[in-house]
Amino acid sequence: MYRTKEKLGNFTAEDAPQYEDVLQCMRCGFCLPTCPTFALTGRERSSPRGRVALARAVAEQKLEFTEAVKEEAFFCLDCRACTTACPSGVRAGEVMEVCRSQSHQQLPPPHLGKSFRAFILQRMLPDPDLLEKSMLPARLYQRLGIQWLVRHSKALKLGPAWMEKVEGMLPQLAAPLRPQLPELIPARGEKRGKVGFFLGCVMTLLYPGVSRQSVRVLAHQGFDVLTPQATRCCGAPHLSEGDRQTARELALFNLELFLRQDVDYIVTDCAGCGASLKEYEEILEGLAEHDRLAAFRAKIRDVSEFLAEVGLRTAGLTAVAKTVTYHEPCHLCHAQGISRQPRELLRRIPGVELREMAEASWCCGSAATWGLKFSAASQQVLDRKLNNVSQTGADILVTANPGCQLQLAWGVRQAGLKQEVLHLMELLGAATPE
Amino acid sequence: MISKTAIEHLQQRLGTANVAFEKEDLLVLGYDSTPGVHHLPEVAVYPTSSEGVLAAMEIARSEGLPIVPRGSGTGLSGGSVPVKGGMVICLNRMNRILEIDEENLAATCEAGVITLDLFNATAAKGLFYPPDPGSQKISTLGGNVMEDAGGLRGLKYGVTRDYVMALQCVLPDGSLLTTGGKSVKDVAGYSFKDLLVGSEGTLGIITAVTVKLIPPPQARRTFLAYFDDIRTAGEAVSKIIAAKIIPSTMEIMDRATINCVEDYVRIGLPRQMAALLLIEVDGHPAQVEEEAAGVEKILKAVKAAEIHVAKDAEEAGQLAAARRTALSALARVSPTTLLEDATVPRSMLAETFAEIERLTAKYQLKVGTFGHAGDGNLHPTVLCDERNQEEMARAHAFYDDLYTQVLAWGGTVSGEHGIGLAKKEYLARQIGAGGVKVMRRIKDAFDPAGILNPGKIFDEHDPCTQTHVEEGFRVSH
Ligand SMILES: Cc1cc2nc3c(=O)[nH]c(=O)nc-3n(C[C@H](O)[C@H](O)[C@H](O)COP(=O)(O)OP(=O)(O)OC[C@H]3O[C@@H](n4cnc5c(N)ncnc54)[C@H](O)[C@@H]3O)c2cc1C
Ligand code: SF4
Ligand code: SF4
């Protein structure tokens, strides 16, 4: 879709949308009611149809690649609800993702922002060791109780607005999971196969407990679980920020690493990573052999998709007598089309009663760094979600992506709701005996 | 060019957030769902009340700007495309349901309310608003009224016109007109309401609509019938009507459409079939029993290849939803979907399918046909590429021939999408120069300065100079 080398209208040649992709939109508007940013503004240009029309205008040289196009590219949540809704197969979110990278070529940000961004994306994220060390101060800070002090004084009000939010969102941090996790965890009970586990950056750093449950559940379900220590960031943050070059380098690395392993499947419990891994086939097109890309793609599974596919063994599970409602991560339901499977698993956990919330697949407003960049808008999107959550009266709010979990846990706390916010694997882990 | 002071004036009266004049905002208001038309306005406003509409109208008049009302831009004849530039008035921020009056079985809402939202709100009170265009999730009530939108239930329950009780409307002279009311009978003078319905935004801007509600049917049954030959499907429809059974829905899709829809919805529609009919009967349980039996008997008699009964309301809803995506799903195949709105007396359905097949072969085109078969309202859609001039010319010739035939059979060039920009030429063919002349006089009476949605339905210049136009006029309804 995106590796054009020919210059398309007012796009630069590198990573431009393809003309066919924007021409495909027949402007029916089916996507409009599914778009959170259109719901917020009622402004056509902040709708999928409008965004594609802007890209088309740039492609047809009716418009320069302007600041407003850049603004729309970053204001788009990349939630892909529009992709699910579009009968014609238009992918407005992805077109905007490409426009983000265009904006770095055409309208570079001021120097300071640029180097900060480059530092995070090109230095930190690709290097797991560095990333883990960098979280140390944050952990110390929590342990020593400074966090409590800072939270309760007004000190944070002085910093940039997003700092306060980040601070408030951070869960209680434990040591990163990656160095602790054995490379191979053997299957329990009757063996059903061997899976590679793709441990995402956010999971190991912010939610080590979740992935710990994931690998434990997988082993309990009869799979040898291999977690390659060398795994690097999946590249999702880079795609989201428009750094497609680094994303490709990371993708190539992970592709080669995992193809070297003798595993039947590659499983992840992070919806964002899963979506990104499944898109390697596209971003690496022409950079890796087609067969290798196809072989890799065929192995990727979200953990819920995987367990539903192989069939959850329920014998020996302990009951969890709770009512549960499920929030669908955009990168699970819209980007990967996985909607039925997590619910199926929930229904199979003994004791669990699933209560559907309205608009379960509507974004929670987190969307990588979107929630920080547009914090007021994010709050509105979150409020809509929390309202739907509280209507269900369920005890537990389950989701399946760290970004959503951070946002929802924070939102629930702020709003004083009663729900406990868990990853699906934490719930399944609770039902799985030691 | 609109002046800076006019923009400031608009910002003062409507609020800065409700006025847009950046190129990027204007670019995306230059289209609706009609292929191949794109014209930029100079300014766009998003009023949040009728006072806002009045203010915008006043400022546009003093600036001499043409005014184009816009709902959700799902129109399929170019009605909300600002061909002459000027000001687009977007009504989608006027989206409050003002009242659901259970005593009078009526609902009043602002013009920008989404059709499905009204349906859901009334259904929550045990009432029923039947009009359900394929675009119901997106289109606005104002847009529905202005296009007199039909829908999947049109066969039994009629079209938007049949439900409009009252309209609140800003006229081009700056006055606010309320026409109609909650009385079910009303013959006080000319029926402005009926004139406004279907006027495609050329006579006034609707700010609020009062619609009639009815009790919902107690029972329904949904069938899916497949055919090896699309003409047999047409025959089935004619026979069901002739048997004096009026289902609520009789929708058709041909093979191309079935395949595109299946590519999107993946619910297991049979790809090899030549056509399918989605049929729904509803009403009192006993009546549903009887009509369903009648429908089934006819389907068997014409030798439908397969008959499937939806197992529950959820499946029935899924099938209707799938049908609603037909047009957009066809757009998977080609960049441009040129859809038409040919409508024939129902006894001519089978012949119409045969004619579409003949012309498809004659002009070597890819065509997908679907539509409201029960109403005789078909949407043969040419799947083409607007960059290919030669192909577009063939598509045009295709429609030309088709409409000639449709008119000869006593049909109409538009069943529900209106004339807008797309079918002006055909309108003149259908109603003659005399008919167009009367319409223009009516337009002049409402809008003497010609500032409201100019260039729609008929050209501003004298239609008598057009070719093809016969003298005299024929009433088509
Ligand atoms: C996928 C798809 C399926 C469709 N299915 C059907 C169908 O089954 N049946 C059917 O009839 N149509 C159908 N349509 C056509 C279209 O949805 C209808 O014509 C609809 O009523 C238009 O509503 P809108 O709010 O989008 O209006 P717009 O397209 O914005 O405007 C339509 C016209 O009304 C005028 N207008 C809009 N609001 C106002 C107002 N408040 N006051 C004055 N003028 C106004 C505009 O100037 C324009 O002339 C379909 C369209 C699509 C894309
Ligand atoms: S993106 Fe798809 S759903 Fe949205 S207007 Fe275009 S074709 Fe329709
Ligand atoms: S990806 Fe989400 S936010 Fe972006 S245009 Fe699509 S629906 Fe809107």
Side-chain angles (χ1 to χ4, degrees):
Chain A
M1 187 181 188
Y2 313 118
R3 279 184 58 79
T4 27
K5 283 289 174 210
E6 269 153 56
K7 191 168 151 34
L8 175 65
N10 290 333
F11 287 113
T12 56
E14 190 67 32
D15 283 322
Q18 297 253 291
Y19 190 46
E20 302 298 327
D21 289 334
V22 292
L23 209 56
Q24 199 64 42
C25 172
M26 54 86 64
R27 308 187 293 211
C28 62
F30 264 106
C31 51
L32 297 181
T34 68
C35 176
T37 57
F38 181 66
L40 285 177
T41 64
R43 191 176 181 184
E44 180 80 11
R45 77 173 219 202
S46 304
S47 78
R49 179 173 69 178
R51 289 182 170 125
V52 173
L54 288 181
R56 180 170 170 174
V58 175
E60 290 174 348
Q61 293 183 306
K62 288 181 181 153
L63 184 69
E64 293 294 320
F65 192 98
T66 56
E67 281 292 340
V69 178
K70 174 180 173 179
E71 232 172 76
E72 280 313 329
F74 282 95
F75 187 46
C76 167
L77 292 143
D78 201 13
C79 69
R80 316 231 175 141
C82 51
T83 305
T84 303
C86 175
S88 320
V90 177
R91 300 187 292 177
E94 277 130 306
V95 169
M96 283 301 114
E97 203 179 85
V98 186
C99 284
R100 292 183 184 185
S101 110
Q102 283 283 320
S103 77
H104 293 301
Q105 298 170 48
Q106 304 215 25
L107 303 165
H111 186 68
L112 189 67
K114 197 163 132 189
S115 47
F116 179 67
R117 180 178 159 274
F119 175 71
I120 302 264
L121 290 176
Q122 285 153 27
R123 182 84 184 85
M124 298 271 291
L125 281 168
D127 185 339
D129 291 323
L130 197 63
L131 203 56
E132 276 156 20
K133 288 207 195 80
S134 76
M135 288 305 280
L136 269 169
R139 269 167 41 229
L140 276 175
Y141 160 85
Q142 283 190 339
R143 290 267 162 75
L144 296 174
I146 300 172
Q147 185 176 40
W148 187 89
L149 262 178
V150 174
R151 276 191 190 170
H152 289 79
S153 69
K154 294 275 173 267
L156 278 168
K157 299 267 183 257
L158 302 171
W162 61 265
M163 279 260 285
E164 185 186 349
K165 187 167 174 192
V166 170
E167 214 297 311
M169 287 177 90
L170 277 185
Q172 194 63 41
L173 295 175
L177 180 63
R178 193 180 62 107
Q180 305 174 42
L181 204 61
E183 242 220 11
L184 185 77
I185 300 177
R188 306 269 294 261
E190 195 192 329
K191 184 173 156 178
R192 296 203 274 177
K194 182 173 181 186
V195 300
F197 185 70
F198 186 94
L199 179 60
C201 313
V202 190
M203 296 311 291
T204 177
L205 294 172
L206 298 185
Y207 284 114
V210 173
S211 286
R212 196 190 296 282
Q213 293 303 327
S214 297
V215 291
R216 198 171 71 81
V217 166
L218 283 166
H220 247 276
Q221 290 290 322
F223 296 91
D224 285 339
V225 186
L226 178 84
T227 312
Q229 289 270 317
T231 310
R232 292 201 183 150
C233 172
C234 67
H238 306 80
L239 290 176
S240 157
E241 288 298 320
D243 178 2
R244 303 183 75 81
Q245 194 41 43
T246 311
R248 285 196 190 96
E249 286 159 20
L250 291 166
L252 262 180
F253 178 88
N254 287 325
L255 175 87
E256 295 305 332
L257 173 70
F258 274 89
L259 281 180
R260 275 200 304 278
Q261 318 296 328
D262 160 37
V263 292
D264 310 319
Y265 295 96
I266 303 161
V267 179
T268 180
D269 57 3
C270 167
C273 295
S276 161
L277 295 172
K278 285 178 179 177
E279 279 164 26
Y280 280 7
E281 203 176 0
E282 281 183 47
I283 64 167
L284 293 179
E285 195 190 83
L287 294 177
E289 268 174 60
H290 182 77
D291 290 354
R292 293 175 72 73
L293 286 172
F296 180 78
R297 170 67 185 85
K299 287 187 179 187
I300 309 297
R301 297 286 185 282
D302 179 78
V303 66
S304 63
E305 179 186 22
F306 178 71
L307 291 175
E309 190 176 315
V310 297
L312 187 74
R313 295 202 299 221
T314 51
L317 290 190
T318 46
V320 183
K322 296 277 184 191
T323 50
V324 169
T325 190
Y326 174 60
H327 160 72
E328 308 199 51
C330 300
H331 279 87
L332 202 57
C333 64
H334 299 306
Q336 302 185 58
I338 298 171
S339 204
R340 167 183 56 83
Q341 297 93 324
R343 293 182 165 88
E344 237 168 69
L345 293 182
L346 283 172
R347 287 205 188 88
R348 299 205 61 191
I349 302 175
V352 162
E353 179 200 327
L354 178 61
R355 284 194 197 160
E356 282 293 341
M357 69 170 92
E359 305 181 321
S361 66
W362 190 269
C363 183
C364 66
S366 164
T369 54
W370 193 92
L372 303 175
K373 286 182 190 139
F374 304 97
S375 60
S378 170
Q379 188 63 52
Q380 280 178 271
V381 183
L382 178 60
D383 288 344
R384 179 167 173 160
K385 177 59 64 179
L386 293 178
N387 182 39
N388 286 326
V389 170
S390 80
Q391 297 276 315
T392 66
D395 307 320
I396 303 178
L397 168 58
V398 163
T399 187
N401 185 57
C404 306
Q405 197 170 352
L406 277 173
Q407 170 94 341
L408 292 171
W410 183 71
V412 161
R413 217 166 41 236
Q414 296 273 315
L417 297 183
K418 63 164 188 175
Q419 278 80 15
E420 188 181 1
V421 182
L422 295 179
H423 190 289
L424 173 56
M425 286 300 118
E426 287 178 288
L427 195 69
L428 202 48
T432 303
E434 281 306 323
Chain B
M1 250 331 258
I2 183 167
S3 65
K4 236 184 113 210
T5 46
I7 288 189
E8 282 163 9
H9 205 167
L10 282 169
Q11 288 173 327
Q12 277 163 17
R13 300 280 297 272
L14 287 108
T16 29
N18 296 321
V19 181
F21 49 88
E22 274 189 58
K23 188 169 179 197
E24 292 79 1
D25 277 301
L26 303 177
L27 257 169
V28 299
L29 296 174
Y31 53 69
D32 67 359
S33 304
T34 318
V37 277
H38 197 212
H39 296 272
L40 265 51
E42 291 174 49
V43 65
V45 295
Y46 292 85
T48 52
S49 66
S50 19
E51 289 72 45
V53 177
L54 279 165
M57 188 80 104
E58 186 188 312
I59 295 166
R61 274 181 37 229
S62 67
E63 289 283 309
L65 291 173
I67 300 159
V68 183
R70 186 178 194 275
S72 291
T74 67
L76 286 163
S77 55
S80 51
V81 175
V83 262
K84 305 266 174 210
M87 174 192 287
V88 169
I89 301 190
C90 301
L91 290 131
N92 66 321
R93 288 185 190 163
M94 287 177 58
N95 57 5
R96 286 174 305 167
I97 296 174
L98 302 170
E99 182 194 36
I100 296 177
D101 179 348
E102 294 178 73
E103 282 180 11
N104 285 306
L105 296 185
T108 302
C109 54
E110 291 182 329
V113 166
I114 303 294
T115 316
L116 187 63
D117 291 347
L118 175 65
F119 174 88
N120 286 335
T122 55
K125 301 218 172 226
L127 291 164
F128 183 33
Y129 176 67
D132 61 338
S135 52
Q136 63 172 2
K137 276 189 191 170
I138 325 143
S139 64
T140 65
L141 255 300
N144 290 173
V145 169
M146 281 293 142
E147 297 291 349
D148 188 12
L152 274 62
R153 291 188 277 259
L155 173 54
K156 177 168 173 178
Y157 293 102
V159 294
T160 305
R161 174 181 304 280
D162 301 317
Y163 294 86
V164 175
M165 298 183 84
L167 293 172
Q168 193 190 62
C169 179
V170 174
L171 296 180
D173 68 1
S175 58
L176 191 67
L177 175 80
T178 303
T179 165
K182 286 182 189 169
S183 315
V184 284
K185 295 173 77 176
D186 181 5
V187 290
Y190 292 165
S191 176
F192 285 142
K193 166 173 79 72
D194 282 294
L195 207 50
L196 285 162
V197 176
S199 65
E200 306 186 32
T202 62
L203 301 181
I205 300 184
I206 307 293
T207 50
V209 188
T210 301
V211 295
K212 177 171 89 177
L213 305 173
I214 59 176
Q218 298 160 24
R220 56 168 57 96
R221 181 129 359 124
T222 307
F223 295 92
L224 209 51
Y226 306 118
F227 300 86
D228 299 323
D229 184 336
I230 193 163
R231 279 165 289 198
T232 321
E235 210 182 303
V237 171
S238 305
K239 288 212 163 124
I240 291 171
I241 301 289
K244 302 182 183 63
I245 300 172
I246 307 291
S248 52
T249 293
M250 268 206 279
E251 296 286 314
I252 195 159
M253 297 202 270
D254 72 353
R255 182 182 287 126
T257 315
I258 294 173
N259 277 282
C260 289
V261 168
E262 177 59 16
D263 281 342
Y264 174 57
V265 295
R266 302 201 180 278
I267 53 174
L269 300 176
R271 294 172 176 278
Q272 74 288 357
M273 290 294 174
L276 72 71
L277 278 181
L278 174 71
I279 304 176
E280 189 161 282
V281 288
D282 70 5
H284 185 275
Q287 179 199 353
V288 168
E289 254 341 288
E290 194 184 314
E291 292 189 348
V295 166
E296 229 171 322
K297 205 169 119 202
I298 293 169
L299 290 174
K300 283 186 179 139
V302 299
K303 297 204 166 50
E306 213 179 292
I307 304 165
H308 169 80
V309 182
K311 63 176 188 302
D312 51 24
E314 194 186 334
E315 191 187 348
Q318 196 183 40
L319 293 174
R323 155 60 189 89
R324 286 181 217 281
T325 67
L327 168 61
S328 317
L330 280 169
R332 292 176 161 258
V333 177
S334 66
T336 313
T337 41
L338 220 51
L339 158 138
E340 279 304 342
D341 193 17
T343 307
V344 294
R346 290 172 293 200
S347 59
M348 299 309 289
L349 266 178
E351 283 83 348
T352 309
F353 288 124
E355 181 67 2
I356 292 170
E357 263 175 27
R358 189 180 73 78
L359 293 173
T360 305
K362 176 174 172 195
Y363 290 107
Q364 298 278 300
L365 290 163
K366 237 190 279 172
V367 176
T369 301
F370 63 94
H372 316 291
D375 305 342
N377 184 188
L378 298 180
H379 299 310
T381 303
V382 176
L383 311 175
C384 49
D385 187 334
E386 60 200 83
R387 291 167 295 183
N388 183 342
Q389 291 299 314
E390 185 271 332
E391 190 184 36
M392 297 307 279
R394 274 186 283 133
H396 195 75
F398 171 93
Y399 287 128
D400 225 66
D401 282 12
L402 182 65
Y403 279 131
T404 304
Q405 188 56 66
V406 164
L407 289 176
W409 283 333
T412 166
V413 299
S414 178
E416 56 180 20
H417 297 159
I419 300 300
L421 293 172
K423 268 183 299 198
K424 293 194 264 189
E425 174 197 336
Y426 296 123
L427 173 72
R429 262 204 247 173
Q430 179 173 328
I431 66 170
V436 173
K437 212 184 269 173
V438 177
M439 287 194 185
R440 288 172 49 85
R441 267 187 237 141
I442 293 169
K443 162 82 174 160
D444 289 345
F446 275 81
D447 180 20
I451 56 167
L452 189 58
N453 214 355
K456 307 297 163 66
I457 306 183
F458 28 73
D459 287 325
E460 285 159 297
H461 64 76
D462 191 340
C464 296
T465 56
Q466 271 182 242
T467 50
H468 295 309
V469 178
E470 298 152 36
E471 267 307 322
F473 85 81
R474 199 190 103 212
V475 180
S476 70
H477 294 290

